[in-house]
Amino acid sequence: EFIAGLSTPTFGINSSYLGPVIKVRNGENLNFNVRNNLNETATLHWHGMHLPGNMDGGPHQEILSGDLWQPSFTVNQHACTNWFHAHTHNKTGEQVYRGLAGMIIVEDTDSDRLDLPKTWAEDDFPLIIQDRKFNSNGSFSYLPSRRDEMHGMMGDTFMINGTVNPYLDLPNKEVRFRILNGSNARVYQLHLSNGATFKQIATDNAFRETPLNLTSITLSPAERAEIVVDLSTLQGQTLTLQDANNGNTPLLTLNINKAASSVTRVPAQLINLTPLDPTAAVRTRPFVLGRIGGMNGSFAINGVSMNMNRIDHDMTLNEVEIWEISNTMGMTHNFHSHATHFQIIERNGSANNVADYEKGYKDTVILPPNERVKVVVKMTDYSTDATAPYMFHCHILEHEDRGMMGQFTVSQPPA
């Protein structure tokens, strides 16, 4: 029951809606049993994880109704907040909307040593932000109009971790929020109701090198950020986390009404990242986000819509590349690549236009209308062939489902 007295049919993973938070460590060997008890085909994609193509959980790793998929891989990346979600061909938006998503957190020796809030459910919280629209009988309303298909499905009811009108009772100390924009299409500009500064400590795929002081942060679908809010002087007060893109709608109430049992201080230096060198790039690949077939046509990248039988690009293991991603449309898109991270080096032709909060290791980048970005990327560790390619796509899920997605393989370098 999201709405009192009304029952909503949902999908879930080990629960009625959404899935568990899975916490793993760098170097750990993981073995999953993913059984599909739905009456339809599904997949489970490990978004943000660096792993072999046949374990990625994309549209080629279908799990038929009643079947069991048993992916296994070794965690091979920095500490970060990632997630898992359905990635079924042409059905991703609907299945995620109904509840097939959850969070996977990677820890490592850096996260162990840093003096950060890390006591789960006391000063360290996951925040999966979603918006939904409901029918009068309590069921989800998915794609009730053509506009929802074109612009992406946006709802008028907001929830965090599957809860409408959520609140947290918090101690008067630093508190860490691992934020995931788990919505299908909505872009959030998050801020605190008192205008307070908070510290961003992580992007999609790793800690930042140093904390960044912010009063707001913008997250498009699938982007993550870890922030630390200092509540030490606010005992007895109540704040809200709000969305400035939607009239300062309150998303989460923060009641500072508990005594702190410990004290943390975010350090001035977090980790050292190894950036890729753009001058080492062996090629530049264009990715043009647009549409084919007129106003009512399919979404496309580089003039073609997704085809499961076509490989769009082949990368070579350990080669540095620049990807130039352009949005040619009058609506917002974003761009996500599987199995790796990238660094944003230019926005609209200048490094100065790259926002501070999006500097670091990323796997998803926002592209407002008619904007372009350049990112530097290198595929490492895993080669893959056409039987298990990786995806690149807009993570507005209705755009992905309607063609704005492609596939790439990774080849071993020539002998």
Side-chain angles (χ1 to χ4, degrees):
E1 288 189 4
F2 296 107
I3 301 168
L6 295 177
S7 179
T8 303
T10 58
F11 288 169
I13 303 167
N14 291 6
S15 64
S16 60
Y17 182 77
L18 295 180
V21 174
I22 302 171
K23 187 174 283 191
V24 302
R25 291 193 60 82
N26 188 32
E28 183 178 0
N29 296 319
L30 302 183
N31 300 280
F32 291 102
N33 292 314
V34 185
R35 184 172 296 281
N36 180 8
N37 288 332
L38 302 172
N39 292 321
E40 59 188 69
T41 298
T43 70
L44 197 62
H45 166 55
W46 312 104
H47 183 124
M49 299 300 288
H50 178 53
L51 75 183
N54 61 347
M55 302 296 165
D56 185 52
H60 287 270
Q61 286 85 54
E62 288 187 335
I63 316 168
L64 302 182
S65 178
D67 279 1
L68 177 69
W69 182 49
Q70 295 181 296
S72 61
F73 56 90
T74 301
V75 182
N76 182 19
Q77 60 198 112
H78 288 282
C80 58
T81 294
N82 291 333
W83 63 309
F84 51 96
H85 61 80
H87 207 308
T88 314
H89 189 44
N90 296 331
K91 292 275 288 186
T92 298
E94 181 181 359
Q95 291 185 344
V96 172
Y97 201 80
R98 294 188 68 176
L100 291 189
M103 187 175 283
I104 182 166
I105 292 172
V106 179
E107 303 284 14
D108 65 7
T109 55
D110 287 322
S111 61
D112 292 342
R113 68 173 175 79
L114 291 172
D115 188 22
L116 296 171
K118 60 185 71 170
T119 304
W120 193 249
E122 180 177 314
D123 61 11
D124 184 0
F125 295 90
L127 303 182
I128 301 176
I129 305 176
Q130 297 175 305
D131 59 332
R132 295 292 183 265
K133 183 177 289 187
F134 292 88
N135 295 312
S136 59
N137 64 359
S139 63
F140 287 135
S141 175
Y142 183 67
L143 299 185
S145 73
R146 178 68 174 168
R147 177 179 174 80
D148 295 313
E149 292 187 35
M150 289 298 98
H151 291 270
M153 185 64 211
M154 297 188 203
D156 51 15
T157 300
F158 297 88
M159 59 179 72
I160 290 183
N161 301 345
T163 300
V164 179
N165 298 321
Y167 68 90
L168 284 173
D169 293 333
L170 299 170
N172 58 332
K173 68 175 298 294
E174 290 183 336
V175 174
R176 178 182 185 176
F177 296 124
R178 303 170 184 261
I179 304 174
L180 160 66
N181 180 349
S183 294
N184 282 35
R186 187 177 293 277
V187 177
Y188 297 94
Q189 185 182 350
L190 304 173
H191 68 100
L192 295 168
S193 56
N194 65 349
T197 297
F198 53 84
K199 295 181 184 295
Q200 183 195 9
I201 59 170
T203 54
D204 296 342
N205 297 119
F207 286 120
R208 292 177 47 84
E209 290 197 311
T210 58
L212 176 65
N213 290 323
L214 296 170
T215 55
S216 70
I217 189 167
T218 299
L219 297 177
S220 68
E223 289 188 286
R224 287 91 67 207
E226 294 185 33
I227 68 171
V228 174
V229 182
D230 188 354
L231 305 176
S232 58
T233 63
L234 301 178
Q235 180 66 273
Q237 297 188 35
T238 295
L239 306 178
T240 56
L241 180 68
Q242 299 181 343
D243 174 26
N245 285 348
N246 194 50
N248 294 326
T249 295
L251 303 175
L252 174 66
T253 299
L254 311 177
N255 301 315
I256 302 93
N257 57 11
K258 298 167 70 175
S261 59
S262 63
V263 176
T264 58
R265 287 287 178 265
V266 174
Q269 180 71 33
L270 296 170
I271 64 172
N272 293 313
L273 297 175
T274 303
L276 295 174
D277 180 5
T279 66
V282 299
R283 68 184 58 83
T284 297
R285 293 184 193 266
F287 295 85
V288 180
L289 311 184
R291 191 177 356 229
I292 55 175
M295 289 297 293
N296 294 318
S298 298
F299 289 105
I301 300 178
N302 292 342
V304 293
S305 292
M306 171 65 178
N307 184 332
M308 290 277 283
N309 298 314
R310 185 191 66 237
I311 301 301
D312 299 280
H313 296 278
D314 181 59
M315 297 184 66
T316 301
L317 203 64
N318 296 319
E319 284 188 347
V320 177
E321 296 191 355
I322 291 174
W323 292 0
E324 185 170 21
I325 309 154
S326 305
N327 177 6
T328 62
M329 300 182 66
M331 64 176 69
T332 295
H333 294 295
N334 69 8
F335 184 90
H336 165 60
S337 177
H338 286 208
T340 191
H341 62 255
F342 49 71
Q343 289 112 48
I344 306 168
I345 56 174
E346 282 186 14
R347 186 177 283 279
N348 298 326
S350 173
N352 295 329
N353 293 329
V354 180
D356 287 338
Y357 68 81
E358 60 182 359
K359 293 176 180 176
Y361 286 1
K362 296 275 291 170
D363 59 49
T364 307
V365 57
I366 188 172
L367 288 113
N370 302 305
E371 290 205 4
R372 68 187 189 279
V373 297
K374 284 185 178 180
V375 305
V376 59
V377 62
K378 181 172 73 170
M379 298 301 299
T380 61
D381 301 312
Y382 311 112
S383 59
T384 193
D385 61 21
T387 65
Y390 297 121
M391 303 292 124
F392 57 88
H393 57 88
C394 177
H395 219 287
I396 294 176
L397 297 182
E398 288 67 41
H399 296 173
E400 168 192 330
D401 282 341
R402 283 152 186 79
M404 194 169 276
M405 181 162 66
Q407 306 185 111
F408 69 96
T409 53
V410 182
S411 298
Q412 290 285 344

